Amino acid sequence: MVPINGRNQQQKKNKSSGKRIALRAAACFLSVLFFLSAAGILYVRSMLGKVQHNVIEGNESLTLSEIYGDDVSFADVPDSIEAIQDSRKQYEAIQSVELLQADYIQNILLIGSDTRQSGTVGNADSMILVSINHHTKKIHLISLMRAMYVRIPKSTGAQWGMLNAAVPWGGPELLAKTIENNFRVRVDDYALVDFSGFSRLVDLAGGLDLTLTAAEAAYLTNDRECSGSFQAGLAHLDGRQALSYARMRHTDNDFKRTGRQRTVIELMLKKAFSMNLSQLHSFASELLPLINTSLSEGEILSMIGMVADLSSYEIDQMMLPVENESGETYEGLMYVNGMEVYKVDYYTNVTALRNLILGK
């Protein structure tokens, strides 16, 4: 028999040995956890370090002819004086409307730039305000027609003109400020991508499945930069083909064109929302170098972390000016300095935009 004192001593030794093993295991676990955490931090930092935060200032001395070149026809027609005066009076009246902003609403302006050369500032070929309402759990895609006649608050003196002139004059910041002043909605941040970046993003997402009309299919088939033959109906488009789809307007009109752009953005969002964590990180790693954004590193991380929640949000669409939202009408067409522009009924559009974002 083992003496009682001997058993007690043995039990103490066993307990002491057990504690040492537990401490070693805990130390190993913490060391691994620390290593993984450090590796994760380094990975995140390296990924976010790819984001472009370059300031795009523009050039306020550019003339309209220098901005638009052959992209806009200057007709020899008189200005629409009465419509111009009415639009400016409406703008002054809506300045008393409080800017719509709330902690639960996030508005990010997506800008598709037609910049073709590095270091240059192109026009805003497409402008979509992505408004996320975390109370109603909805994502609103709001196209802004580039030819809307608006007041642009240049630092050298406010000037009236087409909305997309704000980018070459003052970059994304001036465009955001112009949208805020004219439509009374806070623009929190922007993300800008050029043509080559857009094509790359679509390719990274594996292409897009879109339903084409006969006219759209014929256009893509005849586009030399879009290899392939297309028929009306469901088609799978790669990045270059999706870019051509989003930019085409000669098949119908600019209103339909903005609808195609919203369709592409909605499909891209749904693609991102369906990715698993590994796929999302890989996509984000390739995506971030292609965009220039005002979003901070913390905000980008927060949005990546919210993908699971955002995937359940309903997505809807709107086009401004709402008078032409059907894509079939040409209401508000007028001439200023020989350019065709769209008159904005400020009260109607500001009201419609606020009601959509607030879910009324």
Side-chain angles (χ1 to χ4, degrees):
M1 293 181 62
V2 179
I4 294 176
N5 289 339
R7 284 204 303 267
N8 290 341
Q9 289 177 354
Q10 184 65 38
Q11 288 172 352
K12 288 180 180 180
K13 287 182 180 180
N14 291 340
K15 288 181 180 179
S16 178
S17 176
K19 286 181 180 179
R20 285 198 298 272
I21 293 172
L23 287 173
R24 287 173 183 170
C28 290
F29 174 76
L30 289 174
S31 297
V32 172
L33 185 62
F34 175 79
F35 175 79
L36 292 176
S37 298
I41 291 171
L42 289 174
Y43 169 76
V44 170
R45 284 181 176 175
S46 67
M47 184 175 71
L48 293 178
K50 299 177 181 181
V51 181
Q52 298 181 52
H53 292 290
N54 303 322
V55 176
I56 303 174
E57 296 180 344
N59 181 356
E60 292 192 345
S61 66
L62 291 173
T63 65
L64 294 177
S65 295
E66 289 173 325
I67 290 175
Y68 294 113
D70 298 330
D71 193 45
V72 172
S73 299
F74 293 85
D76 185 17
V77 294
D79 286 351
S80 307
I81 301 298
E82 290 186 10
I84 292 171
Q85 292 177 340
D86 182 57
S87 187
R88 295 184 179 185
K89 287 179 181 178
Q90 287 189 37
Y91 170 84
E92 294 299 332
I94 59 101
Q95 293 309 297
S96 61
V97 176
E98 185 179 358
L99 202 66
L100 176 59
Q101 54 187 327
D103 292 339
Y104 60 89
I105 294 174
Q106 185 175 16
N107 294 323
I108 302 173
L109 179 62
L110 301 185
I111 307 168
S113 171
D114 67 357
T115 299
R116 294 173 174 84
Q117 297 179 354
S118 177
T120 63
V121 180
N123 295 331
D125 193 66
S126 65
M127 296 162 285
I128 297 178
L129 185 66
V130 180
S131 182
I132 306 170
N133 188 321
H134 296 291
H135 277 186
T136 61
K137 298 189 182 301
K138 288 186 177 182
I139 300 174
H140 311 289
L141 303 181
I142 303 141
S143 290
L144 297 111
M145 289 287 290
R146 58 182 184 166
M148 284 191 291
Y149 185 63
V150 297
R151 187 177 186 272
I152 302 174
K154 296 167 62 178
S155 62
T156 55
Q159 182 170 336
W160 284 81
M162 291 169 64
L163 176 62
N164 71 337
V167 173
W169 271 334
E173 294 287 352
L174 181 58
L175 177 59
K177 189 174 181 180
T178 300
I179 292 169
E180 288 184 346
N181 287 359
N182 284 269
F183 299 102
R184 312 308 300 158
V185 170
R186 168 74 177 170
V187 178
D188 300 295
D189 288 286
Y190 68 81
L192 182 147
V193 63
D194 61 19
F195 286 174
S196 61
F198 175 85
S199 296
R200 178 65 179 146
L201 290 181
V202 174
D203 285 335
L204 287 171
L208 299 175
D209 294 320
L210 293 153
T211 302
L212 305 176
T213 65
E216 291 167 346
Y219 182 91
L220 293 177
T221 299
N222 293 324
D223 188 338
R224 294 179 180 179
E225 296 188 31
C226 293
S227 57
S229 178
F230 299 89
Q231 303 294 326
L234 188 64
H236 183 78
L237 306 185
D238 63 21
R240 184 60 193 84
Q241 294 160 351
L243 174 63
S244 182
Y245 171 84
R247 298 196 69 229
M248 72 172 76
R249 64 178 183 273
H250 298 300
T251 53
D252 34 55
N253 56 50
D254 222 12
F255 311 134
K256 295 286 189 181
R257 178 175 182 259
T258 62
R260 284 188 282 269
Q261 292 169 355
R262 293 192 301 275
T263 295
V264 167
I265 295 300
E266 181 172 347
L267 289 175
M268 287 291 289
L269 286 175
K270 290 179 177 178
K271 280 257 185 175
F273 292 158
S274 67
M275 294 178 182
N276 60 40
L277 190 59
S278 176
Q279 292 172 324
L280 187 61
H281 281 178
S282 178
F283 181 70
S285 180
E286 296 288 341
L287 160 70
L288 296 179
L290 301 177
I291 63 174
N292 192 323
T293 182
S294 63
L295 286 162
S296 68
E297 293 183 355
E299 289 170 328
I300 293 172
L301 276 176
S302 176
M303 293 197 70
I304 292 175
M306 290 173 56
V307 166
D309 291 332
L310 293 175
S311 64
S312 65
Y313 284 24
E314 179 185 343
I315 302 177
D316 58 24
Q317 302 183 10
M318 172 184 276
M319 185 186 78
L320 298 180
V322 294
E323 294 92 330
N324 296 303
E325 192 173 11
S326 68
E328 306 293 345
T329 59
Y330 290 82
E331 293 184 25
L333 183 65
M334 62 183 190
Y335 288 90
V336 180
N337 297 323
M339 295 190 302
E340 285 187 353
V341 296
Y342 289 98
K343 179 179 181 293
V344 176
D345 185 317
Y346 278 102
Y347 178 78
T348 299
N349 283 273
V350 168
T351 300
L353 181 59
R354 295 171 81 87
N355 287 344
L356 178 75
I357 292 175
L358 293 173
K360 293 184 177 180

